[in-house]
Amino acid sequence: FQDQAEQFFRSGHTNNWAVLVCTSRFWFNYRHVANTLSVYRSVKRLGIPDSHIVLMLADDMACNPRNPKPATVFSHKNMELNVYGDDVEVDYRSYEVTVENFLRVLTGRIPPSTPRSKRLLSDDRSNILIYMTGHGGNGFLKFQDSEEITNVELADAFEQMWQKRRYNELLFIIDTCQGASMYERFYSPNIMALASSQVGEDSLSHQPDLGIGVHLMDRYTFYVLEFLEEIHPASQTNMNDLFQVCPKSLCVSTPGHRTDLFQRDPQNVLITDFFGSVRKVEITAETLSLDRHVPGLESKFPEEEMATEPLKYAEQLPVAQIIHQKPKQKDWHPPGGFILGLWALIIMVFFKTYGIKHMKHVF
Amino acid sequence: MAAPLVLVVLAAVTVRAALYRSSLAVFIAERVEVASPLNAWKRVVEGLALLDLGVSPYSGAIFHETPLIIYLFHFLIEYAELVFMITDVLTAVALYLAIQDFNKVVFKKQKLLIELDKYAPDVAELIQTPMEMHYIPLKVAVFYLLNPYTVMSCVAKSTCAINNSVIAFFILATIKGSAFLSAVFLALATYQSLYPLTLFAPALLYLLQRQFIPIKLKSKSFWLYTMQYASLYLCSLVVIICLSFFLLNSWDFIPSVYGFILSVPDLTPNIGLFWYFFAEMFEHFSLFFVCVFQVNVFFYTIPLAIKLKEHPVFFMFVQLAIISIFKSYPTVGDVALYMAFLPVWSHLYRFLRNIFILSCVLIFCSFLFPVLWHLWIYAGSANSNFYYAITLTFNIGQILLISDYFYAFLRREYYLTHGLHLTRQDGTEAMLVLK
């Protein structure tokens, strides 16, 4: 009974997905790409395969002409950690990172030609981690310097996901200015949200690297990354520890979180429930034998094919009848008064012009 | 002269019938240069179909024809092609008869002025002779019937042909001198499309001239005749509009027809100048500019009336051209109508300055219209500016053509009274310049 109760408090998910989005382009937004790649790295290290990660990067920093260290994206100023390794798979790149594509990925309403790597093929037993970073404001997040996604849109997208049973539980992390405004509007169950700053506060970046010339990471994600580096697939660290990451003294902004929509107690939610892909393994003591002939199954196919009846179609339009129909009678006729008036006028004009004397030739 | 006319008519009818049977008919009917929202055949059919379904055809923004057209086509819709061919033939015959009469008038007037010694002694070469004027009516009929613009307009079954026909009959009635018929046809033409209102002035001037009433503002007989003509015109207009009310028992047609012509809500590209301007204008200013553009059509009447009061038929020609250029939804059918008159002024050829360039401009623009339309709409490699450029060029060509003819006409008149070899005060040769 204790086991069953414990089972209740464990997550009921069977697979993990991650949607990691960096919404800013341009070289000076290097840190946003580095943020996303750090989370990607952690998530992959903890077991989520590329097939279950949708990575959206709005710009290419590793191969940017301004990158003095090409093919690398560093997260710390001493170039300790290259988060852009050999096996980064970016699913949505550059201009493909749009609000529309992001919402389509979340809700699953994608054109049939989209490749699998670009789809979020989650089901109702999936735990999804959604990480977004970029520039934001009170109630919106800027995509690519040209459009925005609002907190209302995001909340509605999550509700669509809930109604379509596309997630079991969802962890939403956002590292932008005034990030807490983005999770204010959520109303679907089983969502837990973290943000790097409250409404009215800016999220600040960590130190700049003078060799590369830009800020390498944002503070919140930097400390989250540090925290995640300690996690391994068997860790029992729970969400409450994640909420403590980056206090105001280190982050300058006040990170926020929201758990009212989440059914389980954050105490019982493991980090690896969202950041890792921990398979549940049940050890059983029974054995099953698989024999060649399984009794009870009969051959389903008949010995010979029977002659099938010719296919009949439903009653169609009687085309032959239609094309030979006479055109139907017109329903509208000009009123008699009009015709009378018109012809009277015409006759009057005629006789006025040509004289009354012609009348006796007519009659 | 009847036989060559019949031959021309037969040739024209054959060309049109051949085109009706070919695949070009559909292509031409779709072209925006030929069919405008006011006179497209598609819309006539749509309006009549709506009527059969029991809905007023003016209820949407599709049908902008007058009720008399509804009545005409209600019975004749199966014979539409015949109707349009007959209309074209009637127009040509009306123009033929009108110009024949006009030539007689011109000749008589010329003879009178020669006898009165009003002409300078050395202008013998400028005087029109009956020999050269003999073939002008036939040429007018040919110019109208075999003009590619007219043929296209007919094949597209655009009701512009009916407009042209009514105006041609109006011109015939005016030149024959019947004020009553002329007023009736002018009322019909105005009822059909609003702009022939401006033809009131030349018709009045012509009729006054014919009645030998001098055009002085203080003359009582002038005002009396003007009032008579104006009242005939207005009465017929009112009668026709009231009659149209009884067709559908509603006044819906007035905003649909006249409101549409005046307020230009439909900005489909055509060969006119309105669409581009209003497509890119702010809402705030559109009323002002609509008024400006519409006044532009009516604006030239009074100055031209003052300048050309001795020559009302030329005035009518210039006015027709101005209507075709500046109206809100011009089509090539309107252009064809005034072009039919060009043979009447063929004696002005020696004074025309830019006729080669202008004819080239007009021909090239006519060919470029479908090309740039295709590039803009189908190929996507051009945009509306290209089409508008050609529209502008075409209209500039037309305007320059008219002003060239105007210049040549006035120059000839000047030479007739002052002699061909103009000399300045000191005896050297002088040049005549239009200021």
Side-chain angles (χ1 to χ4, degrees), chain B residues 422-430:
Chain B
L422 302 167
T423 53
R424 287 191 215 164
Q425 279 151 346
D426 52 358
T428 56
E429 202 177 323

Side-chain angles (χ1 to χ4, degrees), chain A residues 174-214:
Chain A
I174 185 160
D175 188 350
T176 63
C177 304
Q178 308 192 51
S181 64
M182 287 307 281
Y183 64 62
E184 287 178 340
R185 298 286 197 137
F186 293 164
Y187 55 94
S188 316
N190 287 357
I191 303 186
M192 191 186 309
L194 283 107
S196 59
S197 55
Q198 301 293 336
V199 175
E201 284 181 351
D202 289 332
S203 287
L204 300 175
S205 55
H206 206 47
Q207 311 125 330
D209 180 315
L210 296 173
I212 296 181
V214 285

